[in-house]
Every structure is written in C-alpha cells, then in structure tokens.
C-alpha cells in the first residue's frame, strides 16, 4: 500500500519560522496530489518531510501503515525528482539511471531490465549511451524521471520538476507526467507554484498559504467552490474579479449594489442569504472572467444583472478575447468570444451570470456562497 498520511504535522525551523502548521491529510494509494501555493507557503518543506530530508517537529507521518518519522530517507520506499535534475555529468544516461540500484547491490541483470523498461516508458532508449550534456532540457528531465522509476518506489515525490523547461516543453512534459502516473499506477506527490499545472495534473490539490493548508479538493471543486478569497483568487487564470457590494433586501428579492450598479440575486442564492446577518451589510462579490458576457443574447437574458463597463484594453488570443475594463472604479477582466465588437475606450453593458457569482465575508474572507 502506498498511502501517505500526515497527522497534525508541524515544521518549526530554528530562528522561529513555522513553515508548516498542523498539516493533516490522507493520501490514498495511486493518487496524484499537487501541493500548490505562492513562494514561501511551505510546500517544499512538506515534500521534504515526506521524503525524510527534513525532520518533523511535531505530528506523525505514515507511508502505508508504517510510522516513518524516524525512518531514513533511503528506507522510505520513495523516489524524489528535483527541479535541477541532479544528473551526474560524467556518467551516461544508463549509468545515471542505474547508479542508485548499483549502490543497493541489485543484480546486474535486474538493473538492466529495470533501466530498459523505464527507458522504454519514457522513450529514451536511444539515448542510454549519451552523457547529460548531449541531451536537451526535456530529455534530461526524462532521465531524472527514469532514475526515479527504476527504483520502483511506492511514492514519487516531485519538486517543481518542470520549472527549468521552456513554456512549450513544460506543457508537453505535463501531459507526459500525467501519462506516466496512469502507467505506473503509483502515488505521486508533486510541488508547484503554478496553478495551471496544478489544475491540469492533480487528482486532488492542496492549496497552501503562509504554512497553512487552505483547501484540499479536486481541481473542479477548487475552481467552482473555493473555500475563501485566497483560493478563489489563486486558482484560475485570469483571476477571479472581486468588488465590494452591499446586500439589499427589497420587496421582490435580494440585490447586490456597488457604485451605481445593482444586480439581482437568483432565487436560490437569495434564499441562502435570507434571514442572515449579511442583509444590509457589505460583502465581497467574486465573479470569474468567463461569467461576464457582452453578447446581445446574454444581455437580454440577464437583464437584471447588467453593469456599465469602460473598456481599457482588449487582447485577442485567437480562441478567446480578454476585455480589461473598469466597473465602478474597479478593474475587471472578462473572457469573451473573440468576435466581440468591444474596443478600447468603449462604454458597454456587461451581464453578470449571477448563478455563478461567489460571495465572501468581508472580515474573514471566507466563502458565504
Ligand atoms: P518556494 O516556492 O519559494 O520554494 P515553498 O512554498 O516551497 O516556497 P518552503 O521552501 O517550504 O516554501 O519555505 C517555507 C518557509 O520556511 C519560508 O518562510 C522559508 O523562508 C522557510 N524556510 C525554508 N527552509 C528553511 C530553513 N532551512 N531554515 C529556516 N527557514 C526556512
């Protein structure tokens, strides 16, 4: 069993930095877990504690059913792939991949079998006699993965393995690593600061900030139901738009007012606010760029949620266009059909898809709905 369990795990560095606070998670066998968050949030420290490269200050870490707090890295049945690949320049690809196995005194035939098998999976069989300097960045990355695969570990740990590759190769290797996970059917734990990488790779994502886990969920759940403003803003690109809004109850329903604009909440959402302390108070309204519309059909359909926007800039990406605009003195981004007629300087009506708006508590920044 290659499950990993973290129970009330803390990391306190000398000097008073608590890099990880009360981390709790049950990672199941064969999951692909992504640790994501801004620089300094504690994701690498968490990975290094799982690897055994960093002591755990408090709490328990299990790999399978075994408590491994005091188990040496080499006896944890894990393999780690680093950002800088850490290949030996004077060794061939074959030697690089087999080095760890030779140290473990694995029989020669077995080493050969494992290296060739891994090389086949990674499509680098033709490179086994080359040295790292004769390889491209992507090929080096494959060798680093190969070196981890030959160990046949229960758990793969990866720390920003794609960050040294150019944008195109990164997207390609992302797919490769996804395929690799499917082929190997082992547990992957992967650190990145890139939310796109997180959304496209993980079966579950752990979003961290300042040493605290914010939310653990599937990519879709994180995107659709973020637990607070931080997660809502961190996951998704371009990021969610936010604006302060007042909740008003009127005869025919509940409205949100900001500046000179007012939009009506759909019945389902209004019901949830009915009778709460939020009536008459300010909240933070969040709406994703793709939930803002400028097409006439939408404007007609969503006539009770129209606002006025001044277009500052448009960006046509071919398959979609971003409208950068100002709504009541706040910057907004909309992702619309590339055939939009909106141009810089225009003042246009924009419809909010109110079924997909998010509301956050102004003080705690936690999700209200
Ligand atoms: P990055 O994406 O920049 O690598 P991260 O999320 O992986 O960031 P960590 O490297 O885990 O963050 O660091 C978490 C916190 O712990 C940071 O505030 C960092 O400065 C601190 N830290 C990391 N290593 C040490 C150390 N050896 N001694 C003291 N503080 C440390």
């Amino acid at each position: 069993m290659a499950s990993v369990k973290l129970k009330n795990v803390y990391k306190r560095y000398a000097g008073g930095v608590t890099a990880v606070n009360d981390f709790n998670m049950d990672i199941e066998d064969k999951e692909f877990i992504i640790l994501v968050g801004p620089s300094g949030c504690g994701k690498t420290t968490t990975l290094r504690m799982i690897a055994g490269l960093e002591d755990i200050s408090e709490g328990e870490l299990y790999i399978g059913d075994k408590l491994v707090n005091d188990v040496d890295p080499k006896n944890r049945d894990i393999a780690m792939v680093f950002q800088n690949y850490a290949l030996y320049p004077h060794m061939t690809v074959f030697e690089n991949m087999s080095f760890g196995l030779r140290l473990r005194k694995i029989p020669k035939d077995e080493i050969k079998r494992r290296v060739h098998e891994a090389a086949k999976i990674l499509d680098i069989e033709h490179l086994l006699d080359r040295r790292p300097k004769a390889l491209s960045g992507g090929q080096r990355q494959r060798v680093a993965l190969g070196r981890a695969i030959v160990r046949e570990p229960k758990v793969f740990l990866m720390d920003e393995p794609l960050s040294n590759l150019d944008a195109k190769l990164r997207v390609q290797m992302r797919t490769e690593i996804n395929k690799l996970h499917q082929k190997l059917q082992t547990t992957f734990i992967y650190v990145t600061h890139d939310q796109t990488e997180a959304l496209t790779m993980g079966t579950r994502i752990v979003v961290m900030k300042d040493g605290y886990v914010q939310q653990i969920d599937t990519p879709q759940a994180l995107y659709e139901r973020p637990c607070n403003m931080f997660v809502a803003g961190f996951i998704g690109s371009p990021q969610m738009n936010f604006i302060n809004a007042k909740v008003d109850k009127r005869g025919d329903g509940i409205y949100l007012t900001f500046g000179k604009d007012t939009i009506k909440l759909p019945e389902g959402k209004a019901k949830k606010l009915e009778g709460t302390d939020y009536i008459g108070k300010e909240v933070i309204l969040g709406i994703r760029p793709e939930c803002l519309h400028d097409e006439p059909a939408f404007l007609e359909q969503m006539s009770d949620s129209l606002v006025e926007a001044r277009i500052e800039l448009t960006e046509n990406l071919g398959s979609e266009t971003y409208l950068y605009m100002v709504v009541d003195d706040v910057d907004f981004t909309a992702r619309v059909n590339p055939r939009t007629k909106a141009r810089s300087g225009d003042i246009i009506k924009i419809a909010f898809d109110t079924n997909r708006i998010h509301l956050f508590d102004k003080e705690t920044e936690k999700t209200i709905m």
Side-chain angles (χ1 to χ4, degrees):
M1 271 286 285
S3 60
V4 177
K5 179 176 180 155
L6 294 102
K7 206 172 156 198
N8 306 113
V9 168
Y10 287 78
K11 177 65 191 183
R12 299 184 192 93
Y13 284 114
V17 179
T18 304
V20 177
N21 281 279
D22 200 16
F23 196 120
N24 285 287
M25 186 171 188
D26 281 320
I27 299 171
E28 284 170 33
D29 190 25
K30 302 189 180 73
E31 273 204 276
F32 192 158
I33 297 296
I34 309 274
L35 306 179
V36 70
S39 184
C41 70
K43 50 197 188 296
T44 295
T45 301
T46 305
L47 197 75
R48 289 174 60 85
M49 285 194 284
I50 298 171
L53 301 172
E54 211 67 76
D55 288 338
I56 294 172
S57 309
E58 193 184 321
E60 290 166 4
L61 172 70
Y62 295 86
I63 296 181
D65 295 332
K66 193 171 163 195
L67 180 68
V68 296
N69 284 42
D70 299 319
V71 173
D72 252 21
K74 65 178 192 318
N75 299 326
R76 286 191 184 196
D77 238 341
I78 47 118
M80 186 141 167
V81 180
F82 295 94
Q83 186 173 350
N84 58 8
Y85 320 145
L87 301 179
Y88 300 110
H90 59 287
M91 291 185 192
T92 63
V93 168
F94 183 93
E95 286 162 349
N96 263 287
M97 284 172 68
S98 58
F99 184 66
L101 303 183
R102 275 189 282 139
L103 284 186
R104 282 159 184 250
K105 310 251 185 301
I106 308 268
K108 265 194 180 149
D109 284 355
E110 173 71 6
I111 292 181
K112 216 167 154 190
R113 182 190 68 76
R114 287 201 202 176
V115 170
H116 280 278
E117 210 172 280
K120 193 167 171 208
I121 290 174
L122 294 161
D123 200 16
I124 51 172
E125 279 174 299
H126 58 298
L127 304 174
L128 287 173
D129 294 330
R130 290 206 200 160
R131 288 184 209 283
K133 72 170 185 308
L135 300 176
S136 71
Q139 289 167 337
R140 273 180 220 160
Q141 183 56 65
R142 276 167 220 257
V143 177
L145 286 169
R147 202 172 40 181
I149 294 172
V150 296
R151 298 182 52 183
E152 301 181 347
K154 281 188 183 159
V155 183
F156 279 88
L157 305 177
M158 304 191 189
D159 191 0
E160 308 235 12
L162 307 185
S163 60
N164 285 336
L165 304 179
D166 67 44
K168 197 171 163 203
L169 201 50
R170 212 157 52 219
V171 172
Q172 200 182 323
M173 283 305 290
R174 210 156 76 189
T175 318
E176 296 283 318
I177 291 180
N178 269 332
K179 283 190 196 154
L180 190 63
H181 175 250
Q182 278 174 14
K183 262 191 207 149
L184 297 177
Q185 297 278 313
T186 357
T187 311
F188 278 33
I189 308 178
Y190 185 107
V191 162
T192 179
H193 63 272
D194 180 345
Q195 60 85 32
T196 313
E197 220 165 273
L199 282 177
T200 50
M201 296 181 90
T203 48
R204 281 196 299 161
I205 301 173
V206 183
V207 183
M208 297 181 74
K209 181 193 173 208
D210 298 338
Y212 288 92
V213 171
Q214 305 289 303
Q215 187 169 356
I216 303 178
D217 242 319
T218 61
Q220 194 179 355
L222 273 184
Y223 193 78
E224 291 175 358
R225 296 183 296 281
C227 71
N228 60 29
M229 247 180 100
F230 172 77
V231 176
F234 188 77
I235 298 287
S237 172
Q239 79 157 45
M240 186 184 282
N241 301 290
F242 297 109
I243 192 165
N244 287 333
K246 188 163 169 266
V247 181
D248 279 329
K249 187 170 156 54
R250 299 181 193 167
D252 64 339
I254 291 183
Y255 289 79
L256 296 172
T257 309
F258 38 96
K260 55 186 182 316
D261 291 307
T262 298
I263 60 173
K264 188 177 183 200
L265 277 185
E267 239 174 70
K269 290 204 184 280
K271 261 197 195 129
K272 284 191 193 155
L273 278 187
E274 197 86 52
T276 67
D277 289 345
Y278 292 109
I279 305 292
K281 289 232 177 88
E282 278 226 331
V283 294
I284 296 163
L285 184 168
I287 185 151
R288 294 212 181 268
E290 65 272 24
C291 306
L292 297 170
H293 302 281
D294 69 335
E295 289 177 59
F298 281 108
L299 298 181
E300 206 171 300
Q301 200 184 326
M302 302 174 181
S303 59
D304 51 11
S305 62
L306 302 183
V307 305
E308 205 171 81
R310 189 179 73 246
I311 308 295
E312 305 267 278
L313 189 74
T314 67
E315 231 172 52
N316 189 327
L317 278 77
S319 60
E320 57 197 18
T321 286
Y322 296 158
L323 303 180
Y324 297 100
M325 56 202 192
V326 176
V327 176
D328 286 300
D329 293 330
V330 175
D331 288 334
F332 266 61
T333 307
R335 177 191 288 164
V336 299
N337 191 308
R339 285 187 297 258
T340 180
K341 296 200 170 55
R343 296 289 173 263
S344 305
D346 289 354
I347 293 181
I348 62 166
K349 290 280 182 211
I350 289 282
F352 276 45
D353 182 351
T354 45
N355 282 308
R356 295 178 65 191
I357 63 171
H358 300 257
L359 297 183
F360 303 95
D361 185 292
K362 225 179 144 183
E363 267 158 41
T364 63
E365 300 194 349
K366 287 198 175 135
T367 299
I368 303 168
M369 64 167 67

